[in-house]
Amino acid sequence: MAATADSVKKLVGLGATVVVESGAGLGSAVTDEAYRSAGAEVVPDAAAALAGADVVLKVRRPLRAGEGELDELSLIPRGATLIGILEPYDDAESLAAYAAGGIESFALELVPRITRAQSMDVLSSQANLAGYRAVLEAASVFGRAFPMMMTAAGTVPPARVLVMGAGVAGLQAIATARRLGAVVSATDVRPAAKEQVQSLGASFVAVEDEEFKAAETAGGYAKEMSAEYRAKQAALIAETVKKQDIVICTALIPGRKAPVLVDEAMVRSMKPGSVIVDLAAERGGNCALTRPGEVIEDQGVTIVGHRNVPGRIATDASALYARNLVAFLTPLVDKDSKGLKVDGTDAIVTATRLTSGGRVVHPGFGGSAE
Ligand code: NAD
């Protein structure tokens, strides 16, 4: 959900009139009454909420005609500013529709990772929760305990957990698995991850060659690795995976399909009862056998491929997302007129703005600033 009672109060404080669709907050435990008390007007449906809007705050991109029950896009008024996780990659159709509809669109997941933008960083706020939740998903289907237990009836060994990808989600998964008492190791292709993994009490597993030492972009993201590196990495991972009880996959490369790190043979090498939770499922999966949106069992190994894992911890996901939105919107609002005043030269604006003035303007998606 894109607003909580708390964020409505802040938006009202910015001078906005806030309109919420009835029932929209129920999945995140926010009632219509709570929105009303915070100062929002609650209207019966999406069409009423969108009518006359200057700014539209959404979680995901609006659906186009034929995609769902409602053609949300056609309900957004011309000239309105749309802010959300718009997933512009490989979606030229939506971009063209925003441009044609005269919509000023901003993709929140493109917020640059600079200090000033940390409070707007939706990838971090959601990945952190997803990493935590992934471990709980694993624990709930794993037929054994995580911590070592020494009991009168005998000793229960600790679970062995491997976390693949030690970004925001992976580091939280490591911390959560450690809190539950597991023996944790983790892998990443960015050298900076090594110290972070070790500082959480996990061991670091990676092929640390020359390519690895240079494998981080200026923005702090992973680069796509060479075929040679991936082969060496796969051999090391194969050896590691077969000793694990739980594998938590979080490896992503912005704008690309997720790298496949756990192949069919690796899954088959795992002990029956083992669990793989693939947070990369929506982007194709880090495990070759993952079925996005499904939990499957393959020769005794459970592979959890839930989509939208932050949505499985919806109240906190909404609370943090709503705060990210307020933080993003605040500098776009003119303090005197209370209207929008977008500074087209600001680094956060140029990094996130997809369409403006009827055109695609983002250079990463075929647009140009002029
Ligand atoms: P992400 O979600 O894009 O990817 C998750 C992890 O997968 C990354 O650590 C990546 O290196 C790793 N990965 C990619 N390919 C891999 C492979 N083949 N094998 C193993 N691991 C692989 O990453 P993220 O969580 O968004 O974090 C990316 C970086 O941005 C991190 O350095 C993070 O600390 C940094 N960050 C900075 C800020 C800030 O400065 N404001 C905020 C958040 C994150």
Side-chain angles (χ1 to χ4, degrees):
M1 179 56 197
T4 57
D6 189 46
S7 81
V8 166
K9 278 189 205 142
K10 295 208 170 81
L11 294 170
V12 170
L14 284 175
T17 303
V18 182
V19 182
V20 180
E21 179 187 352
S22 176
L26 289 179
S28 305
V30 189
T31 59
D32 286 355
E33 195 38 48
Y35 283 127
R36 270 192 214 98
S37 324
E41 183 191 340
V42 177
V43 296
D45 54 28
L50 289 166
D54 297 312
V55 177
V56 177
L57 304 179
K58 276 188 64 62
V59 178
R60 300 243 162 161
R61 71 171 175 82
L63 297 178
R64 298 186 304 264
E67 284 189 312
E69 278 174 28
L70 198 64
D71 176 0
E72 295 177 314
L73 198 54
S74 70
L75 297 174
I76 299 179
R78 180 161 278 276
T81 294
L82 167 69
I83 307 171
I85 305 170
L86 300 184
E87 297 177 282
Y89 296 106
D90 304 320
D91 190 14
E93 215 175 317
S94 289
L95 287 174
Y98 304 150
I103 296 170
E104 303 286 305
S105 59
F106 292 88
L108 215 50
E109 69 267 49
L110 301 180
V111 161
R113 267 142 172 209
I114 55 177
T115 310
R116 183 163 60 92
Q118 274 183 1
S119 57
M120 315 169 189
D121 189 344
V122 57
L123 290 184
S124 292
S125 73
Q126 304 302 298
N128 176 48
L129 293 171
Y132 162 79
R133 182 72 196 197
V135 175
L136 301 192
E137 300 286 352
S140 72
V141 291
F142 187 45
R144 291 180 28 214
F146 267 43
M148 182 166 88
M149 293 181 195
M150 289 160 94
T151 78
T155 300
V156 171
R160 302 185 69 87
V161 175
L162 172 67
V163 176
M164 309 194 75
V168 179
L171 292 174
Q172 184 56 257
I174 294 170
T176 306
R178 290 265 304 151
R179 271 181 227 130
L180 287 178
V183 173
V184 185
S185 56
T187 179
D188 202 293
V189 288
R190 287 178 304 105
K194 181 177 181 175
E195 201 186 310
Q196 294 163 357
V197 165
Q198 290 174 337
S199 73
L200 289 169
S203 48
F204 190 66
V205 183
V207 177
E208 298 184 44
D209 63 3
E210 288 306 314
E211 183 176 349
F212 172 83
K213 287 181 188 136
E216 185 160 325
T217 65
Y221 288 109
K223 282 186 182 159
E224 193 159 29
M225 305 302 277
S226 69
E228 191 197 347
Y229 184 91
R230 278 187 274 132
K232 284 194 276 182
Q233 186 191 25
L236 177 63
I237 296 303
E239 272 314 298
T240 313
V241 162
K242 65 180 173 203
K243 298 178 203 141
Q244 305 303 316
D245 299 305
I246 312 276
V247 175
I248 309 277
C249 300
T250 79
L252 294 174
I253 298 162
R256 303 203 178 214
K257 207 174 162 292
V260 175
L261 303 176
V262 181
D263 64 16
E264 196 173 327
M266 291 186 209
V267 177
R268 299 276 144 75
S269 77
M270 294 180 80
K271 296 182 284 282
S274 302
V275 180
I276 299 173
V277 177
D278 197 344
L279 284 185
E282 266 175 311
R283 302 267 290 277
N286 290 146
C287 171
L289 302 185
T290 297
R291 289 211 211 121
E294 290 182 37
V295 178
I296 59 164
E297 204 181 298
D298 187 277
Q299 298 185 12
V301 178
T302 303
I303 306 173
V304 180
H306 293 311
R307 292 178 195 272
N308 187 17
V309 174
R312 301 173 73 81
I313 176 167
T315 303
D316 280 334
S318 296
L320 298 184
Y321 181 62
R323 278 186 219 150
N324 292 146
L325 278 172
V326 172
F328 183 83
L329 192 57
T330 302
L332 304 184
V333 176
D334 183 53
K335 302 243 169 349
D336 302 320
S337 72
K338 311 285 186 205
L340 285 188
K341 192 172 170 193
V342 178
D343 173 3
T345 63
D346 181 84
I348 299 173
V349 170
T350 54
T352 54
R353 184 151 69 172
L354 300 174
T355 57
S356 181
R359 295 183 309 113
V360 177
V361 292
H362 198 296
F365 302 98
S368 65
E370 288 306 315

